Amino acid sequence: MKAARWLLLLSVSFLLPARADLTIVQKIEGAGSISEMTIKIKGDKARVEASPEVTTIIDSKSGEMLSLLNDKKKFLRISGDKAKAVAEMATRFGGEKQPQEKPKLTPTGKKETIGGYEAEEYSCVAPKFKASYWIAPQYPNSAAIVKQMQAMTPASWSAGITSMPDYRDFPGLPIRTNINMEGKQITSTITAVKQDPLPDAQFSAPADYQEMKMPNIGKMLGGKSEKTRDEPATNSPEPSARP
């Protein structure tokens, strides 16, 4: 389950254009009960809908992330600084060293028609995962979408989601992405792209949702307990009464 979540985050970061209202629908294979994912973009914010229970809202400018627990009407807010701390701790606990340079895309020479568009496969090998991207340069507005991909990945994420390629080098839209991590593979394929206006309300927590406290980062990652500014202070026990 942990690997599936990281793979989905990687797939999301590969497909985040900006500066216009945009909806991307993807077919997901290999992620258990998740069979479809919808990404909605408005300005610097992205809304990721992978299941009815949980919705994720990402602010690429501040790095802030909101996790909406729709069935409980609650939400968890992770600030940009906190997201960076989580990413750095995940890297440290996982024993991973930050790579010296971004991996490069290498064309394999394979071609295939996907969704009516001719696509060429590019491979990418990193210490923690292997990926292949079927890139369709003739996809409508492909150049404009790819131009914004790098900007829509929050800088605070780079410490945890390492070894990511530089999307400014992509020659077109990755219409299909295959990512293999820890022996598990997830494939995402774009099935629809819409450019209809999206309401601002979809990119913030609903007014009737209750905010949750940020849990201990160290405990989240299975490491040493670490207090955070978002956690309530632990009250010290009262001293026993002297006789």
Side-chain angles (χ1 to χ4, degrees), residues 72-237:
K72 299 179 180 180
K73 287 196 171 184
K74 294 184 178 182
F75 72 95
L76 178 66
R77 185 190 308 275
I78 304 177
S79 68
D81 290 342
K82 197 69 65 179
K84 181 179 180 180
V86 170
E88 290 174 346
M89 291 183 71
T91 301
R92 186 166 67 251
F93 290 148
E96 180 182 354
K97 294 182 179 180
Q98 189 75 13
Q100 296 299 314
E101 59 182 22
K102 301 290 184 180
K104 297 180 180 180
L105 293 175
T106 304
T108 66
K110 296 181 180 179
K111 294 184 179 181
E112 183 178 333
T113 299
I114 302 174
Y117 298 95
E118 184 176 321
E120 182 176 355
E121 184 185 39
Y122 286 73
S123 66
C124 174
V125 179
K128 287 292 183 178
F129 69 91
K130 295 180 180 179
S132 65
Y133 309 98
W134 288 89
I135 295 177
Q138 301 304 316
Y139 197 93
N141 299 320
S142 177
I145 292 174
V146 173
K147 185 178 180 180
Q148 298 298 332
M149 284 184 178
Q150 194 73 18
M152 275 302 295
T153 302
S156 58
W157 288 23
S158 61
I161 306 178
T162 58
S163 305
M164 293 171 60
D166 190 329
Y167 304 113
R168 288 170 293 191
D169 296 334
F170 275 45
L173 179 69
I175 194 170
R176 176 177 292 166
T177 300
N178 299 305
I179 301 178
N180 190 300
M181 179 188 291
E182 299 179 356
K184 185 175 182 63
Q185 178 169 297
I186 288 183
T187 299
S188 61
T189 305
I190 294 177
T191 58
V193 176
K194 304 175 184 178
Q195 294 181 299
D196 302 329
L198 297 168
D200 292 340
Q202 290 197 13
F203 298 87
S204 60
D208 60 341
Y209 277 40
Q210 182 181 3
E211 184 168 4
M212 301 169 59
K213 292 292 183 180
M214 177 70 182
N216 184 285
I217 296 177
K219 290 182 179 179
M220 286 171 60
L221 299 172
K224 185 178 179 180
S225 178
E226 176 179 301
K227 281 186 172 58
T228 69
R229 287 177 299 174
D230 297 314
E231 291 181 303
T234 302
N235 293 327
S236 300

